[in-house]
Amino acid sequence: MGDTDGLWGLQEHLQALTIDELRTANWQRANEGVKPSKQTKPPKAMSRPGQGRGRDKNSPERIAKRKAALERAASRRQALARGEIA
């Protein structure tokens, strides 16, 4: 899947493009003659460096946001239990 720093060269990009095209071609053949409402979902493209996967799920900012959301939810549950809000 490329270097550890997330940079791909031409060969990696061409290989990913080839995989995407083969997935699409196989999906088209599998759904040939099938009603559009009964077709399977088209395949997703292979992930590439820099396409939304760069965020760290356990970064300090995300942990702080998650903690704040849990605290808001807990205080709302307490207010509901006390009958302060409906």
Side-chain angles (χ1 to χ4, degrees):
M1 294 292 289
D3 297 332
T4 56
D5 61 0
L7 298 176
W8 280 10
L10 178 61
Q11 294 299 321
E12 288 84 8
H13 282 286
L14 290 174
Q15 185 68 37
L17 181 62
T18 302
I19 291 169
D20 290 343
E21 293 299 318
L22 286 172
R23 287 179 179 172
T24 301
N26 287 333
W27 171 79
Q28 288 174 335
R29 280 192 293 281
N31 288 296
E32 187 175 349
V34 179
K35 289 182 182 179
S37 62
K38 300 290 183 183
Q39 290 182 356
T40 59
K41 293 181 182 178
K44 293 183 179 180
M46 190 174 168
S47 62
R48 268 92 164 159
Q51 287 187 337
R53 299 189 123 230
R55 293 184 310 183
D56 181 14
K57 291 186 178 182
N58 293 317
S59 68
E61 296 84 15
R62 285 182 56 102
I63 291 171
K65 285 182 182 180
R66 205 175 312 134
K67 183 179 176 184
L70 290 172
E71 289 172 357
R72 285 191 308 272
S75 66
R76 182 165 174 81
R77 280 193 299 274
Q78 290 172 355
L80 282 168
R82 291 190 301 261
E84 296 173 358
I85 56 176

